[in-house]
Amino acid sequence: MTTEFRHNVTLNLAKPNVRANFRKAMDGLMSRRLDQFPDKAELERLRTQSMAIRANALSKLPELLEQLETNLTRNGIHVHWAETPDEANHIVLAILQQHNAKSLIKGKSMVSEEMGMNHFLEGHGIDCLESDLGEFIIQLAQEPPSHIVAPAIHKSRQDVAKLFNEKFPDIPYTENIDELTQAARRILRDKFYAAPVGISGVNFAVAETGTLCLVENEGNGRMSTTVPKVHIAVTGIEKVVEKLSDVPPLLSILTRSATGQPITTYFNMISSPRKPGEKDGPEEVHLVLLDNGRSNIYSDPELLATLRCIRCGACMNHCPVYTRIGGHSYGTVYPGPIGIILEPQKAGLDVHGELTQASTLCGACGEVCPVRIPIPTLINRLRYDGVRKDASTTVGTGSRRKTGEAAAWKSWAWAASHPAIYNFGAKTATRLHGLFPSNMGAWTNVRSAPQLAEQTLHERLKAMGVDHE
Amino acid sequence: MSNARTNILSRLCQSSIQETPPQPSPYQGREQEKDDWDTAERVRRFTERMEAVRAEIHHASRTDWLDVLAEICKAKGLNNLLVAAETEWGSAIHAQAQRFPALKTYQQPIETWKSELFYGIDAAFTGTRGGIAETGTLILWPDAHEPRTMSLVPPIHIALLETDKLYTTFAEAMQAEGWVETGMPTNALLVSGPSKSADIEQTLAYGVHGPKELVVILV
């Protein structure tokens, strides 16, 4: 049985240029990150501190969300709550309709991807334009992002050149990255000029001051949140931090882990709409807080760590599976190690449980995670939740349980705890080693079949004179 | 919608079962030596970081910074320069207007002159609230005199930074200036270089949506 995931993987593994693009980009990101942390002790201190900041915020999440709402409201920012992506989309649509807006311009936002915002709004006659260069490219190509930080990482400059030439035939064909970037600048400048509404995500929402923080390099985030008359920010409920002083360490470890920069070009802290006398900035600012399964993840003391994520992408940059199969294979908004623990929890193990298999458990993701999310442990936990018989809060618990597999493991456990049976079985198997098949289907297409030893380990140890105990 | 709020909060409150996590302490991640950077070291680090991302740094004094600015305007062949008339630095520039390209001011809300701002301004000059040495960063608190778009829309942003307002780290700047106590402005910004992107093949290209050039005059 070929699932959609396996089908995608097969398809993407067969694209040598895409694999080469990922390999090259991930190698670059890994070495740039490494250059940012010459002092290993400082890195570990900063990881511990960042983990503590995020864990602290989560431990007070309901109180901090209320404090954030109070302070934002006092500052003049409208706060909306949505349990589902559909609710969030309707909130955004209602705001657009109030202003008779027929179009909007977007800064980069993964939560808007989670909401399927563009698709929804376009169904209601609203033009959505992505303005982050990478997002702009993949929107032209009608593709989803393949990486949460660098969405067009799977494309080469030649791919982008062809795409621009096809969509904007007036612009002379060029493979020069500077010229491609300038072409995008000119096109999007006119759009920023005209857009009635700007959309953005949020990197950190500070409860103490009622401040929305945005991290970016291009200026599209600033444009989207400064030039249009209305700014709508969308974010997950977990993005809140308690204090303004929590921000500097998180910002530092975020940019260094994500792209290996000491800081991004812009760090944008928004605390209110345009005040009387001010001459620019949006007249109305809205924040949409989206749950979409997060409060359920929150209910499990172990899985809760998933919500510490600050979306740096370091786990995918370091993942041997992600680097080979690419971001599109996952078929979810968030790919890579964080994706395979987050998406099955959001959609249910019955929907995306298979993704928990997309890991070799090598541990790299957990080792680089700036907020110390024990991703490999959580992958194991979710694999277990998928096949366990008893209840857990994870949606789709037990949905991956197969009677045959469960019975096989049960027999194995029974045999392994009965030495006489176990030894007899092991001995029988070694005696029959010659009958072991050399052709094992897909496994042996690219590998040689494993060989059973002629003697069991117990026999060999006994022969070596090792005592039974 | 208020239903969503109640439902989300009640779900979160029901599961407040975790043990208290370790408390963050604000200075854990900092190297001790950083506290000892003197002004010269802060200027050196700031300059190094800024130049690494292709920002231009000019050193000047309180007596000759106008000459330096005039020189920059000439070198870049600017036809005009957007400068506030009300600020300390801006009024000094306006007082010697004949030395500079045509000076423009941001008198009216953006809506009344958006087209000129977007397509007719060559460069904008602003002051800064301070800087951060560790990362090579300008701190801006745009206001009615120097609105947010001044450091964003024109292709060149020229900023003046007083070296005695150069902090070592972001955490230090925020704390020393009492951002929490005084309250946050509409928009506070950290700017660390000209606009850039590495979205195509992880190759840096400058001047995406914000200024293509950032020029800092250190006084």
Side-chain angles (χ1 to χ4, degrees), chain A residues 430-445:
Chain A
T430 55
R431 296 307 176 265
L432 299 173
H433 73 274
L435 301 174
F436 207 73
S438 60
N439 182 350
M440 297 171 68
W443 182 263
T444 44
N445 279 348

Side-chain angles (χ1 to χ4, degrees), chain A residues 24-25 29 32 39 42 45-46 49 52-53 55-56 58-59 61-62 65-66 69 81-83 87 91 131-134 137 149-153 155-158 160 177-178 180-182 185 188-190 192-193 208-209 211 217-220 222-223 225-227 229 237 244-248 251 261-275 277-283 291 295 298-299 301 304, chain B residues 1 3-5 7-9 11-13 15-32 34 49 53-54 86 106-111 114-119 132 134-137 140 142-155 170-171 174 179-180 184-212:
Chain A
K24 194 175 145 211
L29 286 166
R32 280 202 291 281
D39 180 352
E42 191 229 352
R45 275 201 308 276
L46 193 53
Q49 184 189 12
I53 289 170
N56 170 63
L58 291 174
S59 75
L61 188 56
L65 283 170
E66 285 181 298
E69 182 186 43
W81 302 69
E83 289 188 85
E87 270 181 37
I91 292 168
S131 64
D132 171 84
L133 181 57
I137 292 167
V149 174
I153 200 89
K155 293 211 175 293
S156 66
R157 70 183 74 193
Q158 290 80 10
V160 179
I177 290 175
D178 281 318
L180 289 167
T181 303
Q182 288 312 307
R185 177 185 172 102
L188 286 165
R189 200 140 257 249
D190 297 345
F192 281 122
Y193 179 82
E208 181 179 39
T209 53
T211 301
N217 279 309
E218 296 181 3
N220 66 307
R222 283 186 66 195
M223 283 283 201
T225 58
T226 306
V227 177
K229 284 222 170 189
I237 52 170
L244 194 63
S245 62
D246 290 340
V247 168
L251 172 64
Q261 302 179 90
I263 193 168
T264 49
T265 300
Y266 301 116
F267 185 60
N268 185 359
M269 293 161 269
I270 298 163
S271 301
S272 91
R274 184 190 307 197
K275 292 190 187 107
E278 291 178 346
K279 299 189 187 99
D280 61 11
E283 287 165 6
D291 182 341
S295 57
Y298 188 78
S299 66
L304 167 75
Chain B
M1 300 311 163
N3 255 355
R5 182 184 188 278
N7 294 346
I8 293 169
L9 286 174
R11 274 199 298 274
L12 294 177
C13 287
S15 48
S16 303
I17 43 165
Q18 322 82 37
E19 71 276 39
T20 314
Q23 288 299 305
S25 94
Y27 297 108
Q28 253 176 20
R30 276 176 58 184
E31 296 165 47
Q32 214 45 53
K34 280 182 196 161
R49 289 258 43 95
V53 288
R54 260 196 233 177
E86 303 87 348
Y106 207 133
Q107 290 299 333
Q108 297 298 320
I110 184 171
E111 290 76 19
K114 207 174 184 180
S115 162
E116 190 186 357
L117 174 66
F118 264 66
Y119 303 106
I132 300 163
E134 183 185 40
T135 47
T137 300
L140 301 180
D143 57 17
H145 301 314
E146 291 182 339
R148 295 157 74 165
T149 39
M150 279 181 80
S151 60
L152 178 64
V153 174
F170 181 24
M174 179 184 278
W179 288 17
V180 175
M184 293 292 279
T186 303
N187 185 213
L189 290 164
L190 303 185
V191 176
S192 310
S195 153
K196 63 181 184 294
S197 175
D199 273 351
I200 305 176
E201 288 193 0
Q202 286 293 296
T203 304
L204 266 182
Y206 287 86
V208 194
H209 299 298
K212 300 177 186 183

Side-chain angles (χ1 to χ4, degrees), chain A residues 33-107:
Chain A
R33 172 186 173 276
L34 205 58
D35 291 344
Q36 283 301 317
F37 298 109
D39 180 352
K40 182 105 168 95
E42 191 229 352
L43 168 63
E44 297 310 323
R45 275 201 308 276
L46 193 53
R47 287 178 74 216
T48 302
Q49 184 189 12
S50 304
M51 171 186 74
I53 289 170
R54 292 293 302 133
N56 170 63
L58 291 174
S59 75
K60 305 174 186 166
L61 188 56
E63 296 83 3
L64 292 183
L65 283 170
E66 285 181 298
Q67 190 191 357
L68 177 73
E69 182 186 43
T70 307
N71 285 331
L72 286 171
T73 309
R74 188 201 60 213
N75 295 351
I77 294 177
H78 304 272
V79 180
H80 311 263
W81 302 69
E83 289 188 85
T84 61
D86 192 51
E87 270 181 37
N89 280 325
H90 278 101
I91 292 168
V92 173
L93 179 63
I95 299 168
L96 289 160
Q97 285 169 341
Q98 267 168 36
H99 293 272
N100 284 319
K102 292 278 170 250
S103 70
L104 57 81
I105 196 143
K106 286 178 69 192

